[in-house]
Amino acid sequence: MKNALVIYYSQSGQLTEIAKNFAKPLENSPEYTVTYASIEPVNDYGFPWKGYQFFDSFPESVDKIPCEIKPLDLESEDFDLIVFAYSVWYMSPSIPSNSFLLSEQAKRIFKGKPVITLLGVRNMWVVAQEYVKERIKELGGNLIGNIVLRDRAENMTGIITISYFLFTGKKDRFLGFFPKAGISEKDIKSADKFGEIVKDFFDNNQLDQMQNALVKAKAVKVNPYLASTEQMAFKRVFTKWSSFILKKGGAGDPARKVRVRIFANYFPFAILLIAPIKYVFFLIFAPFKLKSIKKEIAYFSGVELKSNN
Ligand SMILES: Cc1cc2nc3c(=O)[nH]c(=O)nc-3n(C[C@H](O)[C@H](O)[C@H](O)COP(=O)(O)O)c2cc1C
């Protein structure tokens, strides 16, 4: 009998559904028991989001400042396989997910254990995953698989539809003609096919070959333009804005209101103006960088951690 633990935090229920569908093949097997553990912040983030709160969560997301969470209510902390399902906030694991990774309980649960990361995101996740890889290594876990479910809408369209989803809680078609918001129902439903692969490779003790099989089954798709944009934006833009806001105070501090509001005005402008410019530059220079682009796609599709990280 093998014990699998699925840890997740989801606001809308989207990631909960993904995690549960993913784990179905394990649940349906008599050889596995599956325990689900939802991360619960002491003061949860409201959903649907209100404008100010959405932008006020930016510095703590980027600077990885944890919120207070309740310990996971588990009978035992000894599992054979850990599935860490998380969504991304501002190119970082969501604050509650990160708070768990920084907890004492995570040290006990992850130490010496194989870990699968399962993401439910819009489309920018590689920077967050690099950070999560580092945390898992620090916790003594062994990352053996990564699966990323994402919004398949074109980048600009996706920004509009996810804003509609996050600020209203609705996943229908914005204005009747935009594509449906978030990750498609079809992708969510078929997450079990990745669970099947994980189960097969886990059963046969072929952990080092699991990620290759997952990549072949399209469990991860790296968009090189988005990957280079987010790496640049996180380092050059996000970290600077975050420390600018944090100088005025921590989460919810009214002293930082003005700076959060300036950021809230800058953010959509940056997305609408800078992102397309970056895209044009990417297209111009891509033919000269094919080798390094291919290398980057292979790296971000995998589970290894670069030694200089
Ligand atoms: C504050 C905030 C910031 C987000 N930033 C990103 C991001 O940088 N990249 C991304 O792909 N998705 C981003 N998303 C979308 C989430 O990753 C996720 O798909 C969505 O919030 C639904 O998750 P849920 O299951 O918790 O409801 C963000 C969502 C929120 C609420």
Side-chain angles (χ1 to χ4, degrees), residues 10-12 15 49 54 88-91 120-124:
S10 176
Q11 293 192 298
S12 65
L15 188 63
W49 287 82
F54 181 81
V88 169
W89 291 3
Y90 298 112
M91 301 173 194
V121 299
R122 190 176 79 78
N123 65 7
M124 289 200 177

Side-chain angles (χ1 to χ4, degrees), residues 158-172:
I159 288 168
I160 297 168
T161 54
I162 196 134
S163 306
Y164 172 68
F165 171 35
L166 296 179
F167 291 115
T168 64
K170 293 183 193 161
K171 258 188 142 186
D172 58 351

Side-chain angles (χ1 to χ4, degrees), residues 58-110:
F58 170 81
E60 281 68 33
S61 303
V62 171
D63 269 55
K64 316 292 187 288
I65 300 169
C67 65
E68 206 185 329
I69 54 169
K70 298 174 192 166
L72 301 183
D73 184 15
L74 301 170
E75 275 174 24
S76 149
E77 291 180 344
D78 188 17
F79 293 91
D80 303 301
L81 176 68
I82 316 289
V83 178
F84 183 68
Y86 72 96
S87 44
V88 169
W89 291 3
Y90 298 112
M91 301 173 194
S92 311
S94 69
I95 297 173
S97 305
N98 182 47
S99 306
F100 175 73
L101 287 178
L102 296 176
S103 70
E104 287 300 313
Q105 192 179 29
K107 282 187 196 160
R108 298 193 296 270
I109 293 175
F110 278 63

